[in-house]
Amino acid sequence: MRLRDTAEDADFRARLRQWLVVAVRELPPVPARDDWSGRRTFDTSWQRRLFDAGYAGVSWPAEFGGGGATPSQQMIFLQETHRAHAPDIGVCFIGLAHAGPTLIARGTDQQKAAHLPKILRGEEIWCQGFSEPGAGSDLASLRTPARIEGDHYVVTGQKIWTSYAPVADYCELLVRTDPDAPAHKGITWLIMAMDSPGVTVRPLRTALGSTEYAELFLEEVRIPIANRVGDENAGWSVAMVTLEFERGTALLGELLTTAEILEIVVRTAQECGRWDDPIVRTRAGRSRADLGALWALASRNVSRTPGPRDVGGNVFKLAYTEARFRLDDLAAEVLGPRGLAFEATRAVSYDPVEERVRSFMFSIAGGTTQVQRNIVAERGLGMPR
Amino acid sequence: MTFDLTDDQDTLRRTARELCGRLYPMSAVRTFEDRGTVDRSGWTEFASAGMFVLHRDEDQGGLGLGRVELALVFEELGRALVPGPLASTAAAAGVIEQAKPDAVIGIADNRGAAPFTVEHLSSLDWIVAVGRDVVVVDAAAIDRSAVRAGGAPLDPLTPIALVDRLPAGERIGGSELAAQLLRDGALLVAAQAAGAAAAATDLSAAYALQREQFGVRIGTFQAVKHLLADMRVHAELAQVAVEAAAVLIDEGSAEADAAVSTAKVVAGEAATANGRSCVQIHGGMGFAWEVDAHLFQKRAWVLEHLFGTTTDHSRALADGWRVNLEEQGAEHGHS
């Protein structure tokens, strides 16, 4: 058991750190939150820089153009990019973390060749069309039907919570191809070009006031059968590939962000005198313990090959959400009346007020806290379903 | 970074679990209820297996392993609710020249005002008083009039004495040794707490699969599932926090002290929260003496107190402020 870098990892870290110093210095100004075309340009040009330096898709297997990094190197990559205040994955998220890995696992050679290099170079942005107004936690109950006409699927329906839809080129789309089969057995995974006729994107304003999600309205959209990933009606197992892929490190970037929020909270408390309050200090120390333990948990999860009943990712998400809420509340306490308004400028890297509102997504997106608990109890502890 | 058990560590863990299972099945642990004593023969067996000195160098009579191995064993001791001042004895093992290998050693933290708490006082051979200096006291020399009379112990397996003053002893070290003893004690108590948190989860899950109400097993109910899921989360966090702290001590990390406080906070809360849920899931029977649930809760409360409470360690984490996940693994190069 070791936490210290091996010689190889230390070398990886040193080279990355050195590269980041220069790369970050040359960054253009950060675009405004809802300036989507500006964000696409910013995020994709950073992705291109990563690609040129050999750091694109650091976790992808080398044979598909990725970095082939070990889990510990993936952690180092996240640590170092945060440390350097480099941009995060941004609008490239679904392509790099969801669609790409899914194509690697289940795509045809043609699909891989068409998309993987572009995803890595930041030339292709993806969004996710999974949830529907009637299918949230119970994703398998999704209804959006697809029928075959010639060599196309024809899709009419509605998707919701489609992240990055305003700037996406492709959508990983789950559709119902067999309405009579059991819920999990009638779903198909399709690659849908967002410029297909019949696709309408309507931004969905979140509780933050932001628009990174959208509703997707599909009206007789024609998708080539060649764009199907996996077999017809096998889409559920294709979608699960992604979830398995992201198990280890999905929330690691968020954990590092959280450590930054804690630093901001402490600095703020020290500046405004709240740090003299022993209760504030105790709560800050408690949050520090949360983050340290979560880092240890992430290290354990990525060091282990998950077994079939593994619930490491679910446990991490539950623990992270609880720690995050605790910290967000402390931040509000320390900020006092300043916690009642968002930061006026977007110049600060993190606004604790914004983060407090954003935190809802941790207990809801990707499986609510309640669904996660069911999974941990049923799969992890053998409770009856 | 490979933060998982090696094959040897896994074997050690299993060996410790088997030893605890053989020496301390719950039926055996139960025989120490309200006796307030340490099981001398079991103690000797642990000592002869080297359990208290795994982390000591071989030339000091140890096994030359690390804090990690020691912590793994202590998780098992905590899981089995083995009674006795185990953490004190292992933390202080090797520092008292006169002590026999199977000595029972207590640590009294007398940095603050009297009275000092001493676990299993009547069973101790030696007391190590940790203040500004570290002083060894012969337990037989304790002035009984300095020991406050108290009622039955909260944890029937762990008597805690309040002592107003200790007799004079021999100084064996200063602040460096003091810090090391308190740190090791906190780590090992945290390891026991992590083990207890895991055992309470297993006990509760087994009961939820067996107990029927409203015509179904109570583990069918989401309200019960969610309690169990939270127990699992607490137990896993506690375990990794403890093992990370042990690794960081072994690696000589500057983050070691913070990691030990983290472990003490997280494991202490895991054990107390899981103890409560364990009683809750057992319902009325959880409140019955014959069911083990209350023993996990009570041991958790005791462990939470020993070697610094959750609040003490949270404060310590704030006082030595440095939140720096980005530096984890990177410090002082590599080996």
Side-chain angles (χ1 to χ4, degrees):
Chain A
M1 228 188 284
R2 70 181 283 154
L3 288 165
R4 199 186 293 183
D5 288 348
T6 60
E8 201 183 328
D9 285 353
D11 183 52
F12 177 83
R13 188 191 291 278
R15 279 186 292 119
L16 175 59
R17 190 177 285 194
Q18 204 174 8
W19 178 77
L20 281 165
V21 171
V22 180
V24 168
R25 204 188 292 140
E26 294 168 353
L27 275 174
V30 179
R33 187 184 65 188
D34 293 327
D35 170 11
W36 284 101
S37 79
R39 280 181 68 172
R40 176 174 172 138
T41 306
F42 183 87
D43 291 345
T44 53
S45 53
W46 175 249
Q47 182 60 28
R48 179 68 204 210
R49 296 215 57 175
L50 288 173
F51 178 83
D52 291 339
Y55 290 118
V58 68
S59 60
W60 288 20
E63 59 173 312
F64 300 109
T70 61
S72 67
Q73 286 171 351
Q74 295 172 41
M75 289 180 81
I76 290 169
F77 181 81
L78 285 166
Q79 284 179 309
E80 291 300 322
T81 46
H82 267 79
R83 185 178 182 277
H85 298 288
D88 67 16
I89 195 165
V91 305
C92 302
F93 172 67
I94 299 291
L96 284 165
H98 281 240
T102 303
L103 293 179
I104 287 170
R106 296 291 187 89
T108 62
D109 289 343
Q110 207 176 358
Q111 288 164 347
K112 287 176 190 160
H115 297 287
L116 297 180
K118 289 187 172 179
I119 291 173
L120 286 174
R121 288 197 299 264
E123 292 165 4
E124 201 173 79
I125 300 304
W126 283 66
C127 64
Q128 185 180 69
F130 281 16
S131 300
E132 295 177 6
S137 291
D138 184 12
L139 180 61
S141 72
L142 63 90
R143 287 206 303 247
T144 295
R147 63 172 196 276
I148 290 185
E149 271 184 19
D151 51 6
H152 282 74
Y153 287 101
V154 182
V155 182
T156 296
Q158 186 186 348
K159 293 287 175 180
I160 194 170
W161 299 115
T162 306
S163 28
Y164 307 116
V167 289
D169 305 301
Y170 289 93
C171 176
E172 41 175 31
L173 189 70
L174 292 182
V175 294
R176 170 82 38 206
T177 36
D178 185 350
D180 301 322
H184 295 81
K185 309 240 154 125
I187 294 170
T188 299
W189 205 105
L190 298 176
I191 302 170
M192 179 178 75
M194 290 295 283
D195 61 2
S196 309
V199 176
T200 307
V201 175
R202 190 168 81 194
L204 198 162
R205 193 162 185 236
T206 66
L208 265 177
S210 64
T211 52
E212 50 267 87
Y213 298 100
E215 289 177 285
L216 216 53
F217 296 91
L218 309 176
E219 185 69 44
E220 294 286 288
V221 178
R222 297 178 67 81
I223 301 170
I225 289 177
N227 281 14
R228 188 182 69 213
V229 176
D231 291 338
E232 185 167 285
N233 296 326
W236 185 256
S237 78
V238 179
M240 290 303 109
V241 168
T242 310
L243 299 179
E244 264 161 49
F245 182 88
E246 69 173 9
R247 179 170 285 139
T249 48
L251 286 169
L252 263 183
E254 291 293 346
L255 180 56
L256 288 158
T257 302
T258 308
E260 276 193 76
I261 297 171
L262 180 53
E263 296 231 41
I264 292 171
V265 169
V266 172
R267 210 159 47 231
T268 308
Q270 288 172 345
E271 282 162 11
C272 71
R274 294 288 281 139
W275 196 244
D276 296 335
D277 182 342
I279 293 175
V280 167
R281 288 206 305 278
T282 306
R283 287 174 65 183
R286 180 70 189 80
S287 277
R288 186 182 177 193
D290 280 337
L291 303 191
L294 280 162
W295 188 260
L297 184 58
S299 305
R300 172 62 48 90
N301 284 349
V302 303
S303 298
R304 221 166 233 192
T305 314
R309 306 192 70 78
D310 180 80
V311 289
N314 312 88
V315 166
F316 186 89
K317 187 165 184 286
L318 285 167
Y320 174 74
T321 303
E322 194 179 320
R324 180 62 187 261
F325 286 170
R326 195 151 39 206
L327 173 59
D328 288 331
D329 290 345
L330 173 64
E333 167 83 27
V334 166
L335 288 169
R338 281 195 288 161
L340 302 179
F342 294 99
E343 280 284 345
T345 70
R346 298 278 303 147
V348 289
S349 50
Y350 298 104
D351 172 7
V353 181
E354 183 174 318
E355 293 298 327
R356 192 184 196 196
V357 180
R358 200 166 72 89
S359 285
F360 279 120
M361 66 176 280
F362 301 116
S363 59
I364 297 171
T368 65
T369 292
Q370 287 64 38
V371 168
Q372 301 290 341
R373 285 192 177 122
N374 286 348
I375 293 170
V376 170
E378 290 163 10
R379 200 187 299 157
L381 292 166
M383 291 303 117
R385 288 181 58 91
Chain B
M1 193 275 296
T2 24
F3 185 51
D4 201 3
L5 275 66
T6 62
D7 289 346
D8 284 350
Q9 287 165 345
D10 194 43
T11 303
L12 175 68
R13 184 201 285 280
R14 265 187 279 126
T15 305
R17 188 169 295 189
E18 280 159 20
L19 188 59
C20 288
R22 184 164 57 79
L23 295 177
Y24 295 103
M26 204 47 94
S27 57
V29 169
R30 285 275 187 169
T31 64
F32 289 88
E33 276 174 11
D34 295 319
R35 295 215 321 243
T37 54
V38 164
D39 172 26
R40 278 284 176 174
S41 72
W43 207 264
T44 302
E45 197 152 346
F46 275 141
S48 62
M51 291 292 190
F52 299 132
V53 291
L54 289 171
H55 60 305
R56 296 277 166 208
D57 290 343
E58 286 169 71
D59 57 11
Q60 294 174 324
L63 298 190
L65 298 170
R67 296 293 192 287
V68 181
E69 284 78 11
L70 191 62
L72 293 175
V73 168
F74 269 69
E75 285 176 31
E76 295 305 322
L77 297 172
R79 187 179 261 280
L81 290 183
V82 176
L86 297 154
S88 295
T89 296
V95 305
I96 310 173
E97 264 178 37
Q98 313 91 303
K100 293 189 184 130
D102 62 349
V104 182
I105 306 171
I107 289 180
D109 177 358
N110 65 350
R111 286 172 303 170
F116 320 115
T117 53
V118 185
E119 182 196 335
H120 275 97
L121 176 66
S122 64
S123 302
L124 299 179
D125 298 314
W126 301 95
I127 298 172
V128 177
V130 179
R132 212 169 306 153
D133 290 327
V134 178
V135 174
V136 170
V137 176
D138 183 345
I142 283 270
D143 174 1
R144 302 307 301 180
S145 71
V147 181
R148 297 192 187 182
L154 169 65
D155 172 8
L157 298 161
T158 313
I160 301 283
L162 297 180
V163 182
D164 280 313
R165 57 185 184 279
L166 295 167
E170 180 198 347
R171 182 186 179 281
I172 58 165
S175 59
E176 198 177 320
L177 180 60
Q180 183 204 308
L181 290 169
L182 295 176
R183 186 182 68 182
D184 282 346
L187 172 72
L188 299 177
V189 165
Q192 286 179 274
T201 308
D202 293 348
L203 186 66
S204 304
Y207 188 72
L209 286 175
Q210 167 235 315
R211 169 73 172 170
E212 291 189 5
Q213 287 289 277
F214 304 102
V216 292
R217 292 181 289 174
I218 63 170
T220 309
F221 301 124
Q222 287 197 350
V224 174
K225 284 181 184 173
H226 289 192
L227 277 178
L228 286 165
D230 285 345
M231 293 175 82
R232 170 70 174 263
V233 171
H234 292 143
E236 279 201 25
L237 269 182
Q239 188 186 350
V240 295
V242 163
E243 290 167 18
V247 169
L248 290 170
I249 294 176
D250 288 339
E251 291 180 353
S253 166
E255 295 292 321
D257 285 342
V260 169
S261 285
T262 292
K264 186 64 173 64
V265 166
V266 172
E269 287 199 347
T272 49
N274 285 10
R276 184 161 272 139
S277 294
C278 185
V279 172
Q280 187 68 26
I281 286 169
H282 283 79
M285 289 314 292
F287 197 53
W289 188 271
E290 67 178 85
V291 170
D292 297 330
H294 71 109
L295 296 177
F296 284 97
Q297 173 76 90
K298 289 167 175 174
R299 179 64 61 86
W301 281 330
V302 171
L303 294 174
E304 203 273 338
H305 175 84
L306 298 174
F307 289 99
T309 65
T310 300
T311 304
D312 295 335
H313 282 282
S314 295
R315 272 232 197 90
L317 283 164
D319 291 343
W321 192 257
R322 210 157 65 87
V323 197
N324 215 339
L325 297 183
E326 288 153 7
E327 299 298 334
Q328 290 261 329
E331 56 176 346
H332 59 74
H334 56 87
S335 62

